[in-house]
Amino acid sequence: MGRKSIQELQAGYADHLYTPLEITKGYLKRIKLKDKKLNSYITTAKERAVQEAKIIEAKAKAGEQTGLLYGIPLAYKDNIDTKGIRTTNGSSIDANHVPGKNAAIVDRLLGEDSILLGKNNLHEYALGVTSNNPHYGPVHNPWNPKYTPGGSSGGSAAAVAADLSVASIGTDTGGSVRIPAASCGVIGLKPTYNKVPTQGVFYVSWTLDHVGPITATMTDMAILAGAMTKQSYLPCLNQGIRGLRIGVPTSYFNEHIDPDTYALYRSALNALESLGAILIDADVSFVAGNADVSLTIAASEAGVVHKSRMECCLSQYGADARAFLESSLDITAIQYIEALKMKEVYMKAFDKLFRESIDVLATPTIPIPARKIGVDEVQIGPYKESVFDAMTRYTGIFNMAELPAMSIPCGLTVEGLPVGLQLVAARCREDLLIRAGYAYEQDQLRDFYRLRDQVCAGY
């Protein structure tokens, strides 16, 4: 019947056009038929999903109050604990791990009467950006299966783009929600640090990790982000952005960037300005060198998280995950502490920028479109770097600054691959991102969405 938004599904339930059980079974059937091509799921929770749908239907028939996400099928990245359903972390070491309780965010969303469809494939232990998983197979980009979907929440973004879930919950240490959202042409939000609970999520870095939603539309994002943070963002829609001060970086975020990506980014800025936003040059030169700082924090803490697994099972890690974790052994305590101090410098500098100059910062999400599966290096003009460094170059700084950051599609390259626009705001100002994202979406993305649903969802 084609992609349905959260509001459309719930309107259909209210009008008795279909039931949560019918919709859930429809998604399970789609996953079985279509996910062979994408490999976006590791585990499908068929029995549990059907049972949950029946339970919430009975609740509604009994006249009980239903939750904000009544009848909405969701998927979760497979490093988020789900009671009674295996949570592999994308690894062979934890292939048979079945948690005894849900992660806090799973309980929160099930409490809103959502339905758990299954667990999405990911980069092993969320330690990379391609979702080329050596244990469960690579996730494929639904725009072109020869390409990666980005990572580490690659299965989550691919599933949403292909309508194999209404939405998915991912995690983000240095861009792992926003990178695949940009690569797959969907919307991904990294909320303010600690605004969404991380209990029951397998950490990369307790200092940098966030849990965030991936959705197909901004209205779905407003609803799901609201349920995750216990706030209401729907009033932010339709407020417009006239007079909103949007910062345009004068350095760093316009360097070593794919020409198609940069052209689409500039076009998005022009569209925001035409909607009434005020574009303001923003000096962000203070972020130079941030990638090394982020890597020092993430690798140090990941080394602690994985200490016991590395001691017993190092050979069971894939090559890139093992190399990342082994790098933690060379980082000194002084380097780690210096990195934490630099994190504070970034936080204060961004606080000042938002307090004194701008409401929202607009950057490209990533400087390159998705790369083919197996490609490890990228060259932009004379500049060469690893795909990992390129993909995280524009995102990781906002994990350190603890700021809310969102990727929204802003077009396709000549090769037909999606590009993301990243919007960033001051801490706890997710409302501004949703307001700006919705205004941009309504003005610019209707044709893009139609094409996405034809290409990715296969209608």
Side-chain angles (χ1 to χ4, degrees):
M1 64 179 178
R3 188 191 299 272
K4 297 286 185 187
S5 69
I6 292 173
Q7 288 181 327
E8 287 170 336
L9 284 173
Q10 291 178 334
Y13 297 151
D15 292 339
H16 306 290
L17 300 178
Y18 36 75
T19 67
L21 181 59
E22 289 169 340
I23 293 299
T24 299
K25 286 183 174 179
Y27 269 103
L28 292 168
K29 183 178 180 181
R30 277 183 60 78
I31 294 166
K32 186 176 181 180
L33 288 173
K34 293 185 172 291
D35 200 45
K36 293 172 185 175
K37 180 179 179 182
L38 297 181
N39 197 32
S40 68
Y41 282 82
I42 290 176
T43 301
T44 305
K46 182 178 179 180
E47 291 181 4
R48 177 160 163 177
V50 168
Q51 181 185 25
E52 287 172 357
K54 290 178 179 177
I55 288 170
I56 64 168
E57 281 185 19
K59 178 179 177 179
K61 286 177 183 176
E64 296 179 35
Q65 179 70 36
T66 55
L68 184 66
L69 298 174
Y70 174 72
I72 303 304
L74 301 176
Y76 293 82
K77 186 176 181 179
D78 203 27
N79 62 342
I80 300 173
D81 281 353
T82 43
K83 182 179 179 180
I85 298 171
R86 70 170 182 156
T87 300
T88 70
N89 300 308
S91 73
S92 65
I93 298 169
D94 294 317
N96 299 312
H97 171 56
V98 179
K101 62 180 183 179
N102 290 321
I105 189 59
V106 177
D107 275 338
R108 181 172 291 186
L109 298 183
L110 289 176
E112 293 290 348
D113 292 332
S114 65
I115 295 162
L116 197 163
L117 278 177
K119 309 298 292 295
N120 289 132
N121 201 351
L122 68 155
H123 205 104
E124 182 181 7
Y125 284 115
L127 296 176
V129 297
T130 63
S131 302
N132 187 6
N133 191 299
H135 311 294
Y136 302 95
V139 184
H140 299 267
N141 193 312
W143 289 87
N144 185 329
K146 294 180 181 178
Y147 287 75
T148 79
S152 60
S153 308
S156 296
V160 173
D163 195 24
L164 301 182
S165 178
V166 175
S168 183
I169 310 304
T171 65
D172 191 310
T173 305
S176 286
V177 161
R178 291 159 288 156
I179 292 165
S183 299
C184 292
V186 291
I187 302 162
L189 172 67
K190 181 198 78 64
T192 302
Y193 181 70
N194 266 346
K195 195 160 189 178
V196 175
T198 57
Q199 294 92 340
V201 175
F202 193 95
Y203 282 124
V204 173
S205 160
W206 56 86
T207 297
L208 303 176
D209 282 1
H210 301 65
V211 176
I214 296 174
T215 66
T217 68
M218 279 306 308
T219 304
D220 281 0
M221 176 58 71
I223 294 169
L224 185 53
M228 293 176 72
T229 61
K230 295 189 173 181
Q231 291 186 249
S232 177
Y233 294 117
L234 284 175
C236 305
L237 307 179
N238 296 312
Q239 288 182 353
I241 57 172
R242 186 161 300 281
L244 196 72
R245 300 171 302 166
I246 294 184
V248 180
T250 55
S251 63
Y252 190 76
F253 294 95
N254 54 14
E255 299 166 5
H256 309 305
I257 184 169
D258 166 73
D260 268 7
T261 300
Y262 188 68
L264 290 165
Y265 163 64
R266 294 303 310 186
S267 178
L269 292 176
N270 292 337
L272 291 168
E273 188 173 36
S274 73
L275 291 169
I278 302 166
L279 301 187
I280 297 172
D281 285 346
D283 180 6
V284 295
S285 55
F286 58 84
V287 306
N290 79 85
D292 289 340
V293 179
S294 178
L295 200 59
T296 296
I297 296 171
S300 298
E301 295 182 357
V304 174
V305 171
H306 286 265
K307 183 175 182 294
S308 62
R309 285 172 172 79
M310 291 170 69
E311 288 171 349
C312 75
C313 312
L314 187 61
S315 65
Q316 292 184 47
Y317 287 92
D320 61 344
R322 183 167 63 248
F324 182 88
L325 292 170
E326 287 180 325
S327 74
S328 70
L329 303 175
D330 298 324
I331 299 171
T332 66
I334 290 174
Q335 289 171 322
Y336 174 63
I337 292 167
E338 287 176 342
L340 291 177
K341 288 187 174 295
M342 275 305 302
K343 176 182 180 297
E344 293 178 8
V345 171
Y346 298 139
M347 290 177 68
K348 290 176 181 176
F350 274 115
D351 286 349
K352 184 174 187 290
L353 179 66
F354 284 108
R355 185 174 62 250
E356 296 181 356
S357 305
I358 63 173
D359 301 307
V360 171
L361 184 70
T363 80
T365 307
I366 46 179
I368 57 171
R371 285 299 188 258
K372 286 186 177 178
I373 294 170
V375 171
D376 295 323
E377 279 195 338
V378 59
Q379 185 149 356
I380 306 166
Y383 186 77
K384 183 183 288 188
E385 63 183 335
S386 70
V387 168
F388 180 94
D389 289 346
M391 288 281 200
T392 57
R393 186 153 31 101
Y394 292 166
T395 53
I397 179 64
F398 301 114
N399 295 71
M400 286 191 287
E402 302 186 1
L403 302 174
M406 182 177 74
S407 181
I408 186 170
C410 65
L412 297 171
T413 66
V414 173
E415 291 179 304
L417 296 168
V419 168
L421 170 69
Q422 182 172 225
L423 301 174
V424 187
R427 271 172 282 174
C428 297
R429 292 310 307 269
E430 285 83 357
D431 61 305
L432 291 178
L433 303 184
I434 289 169
R435 178 180 158 194
Y438 183 79
Y440 177 79
E441 171 193 72
Q442 294 301 297
D443 186 64
Q444 293 288 312
L445 295 180
R446 295 178 191 275
D447 290 341
F448 177 90
Y449 285 170
R450 277 193 287 270
L451 180 60
R452 179 189 66 192
D453 290 348
Q454 289 169 1
V455 173
C456 299
Y459 300 138

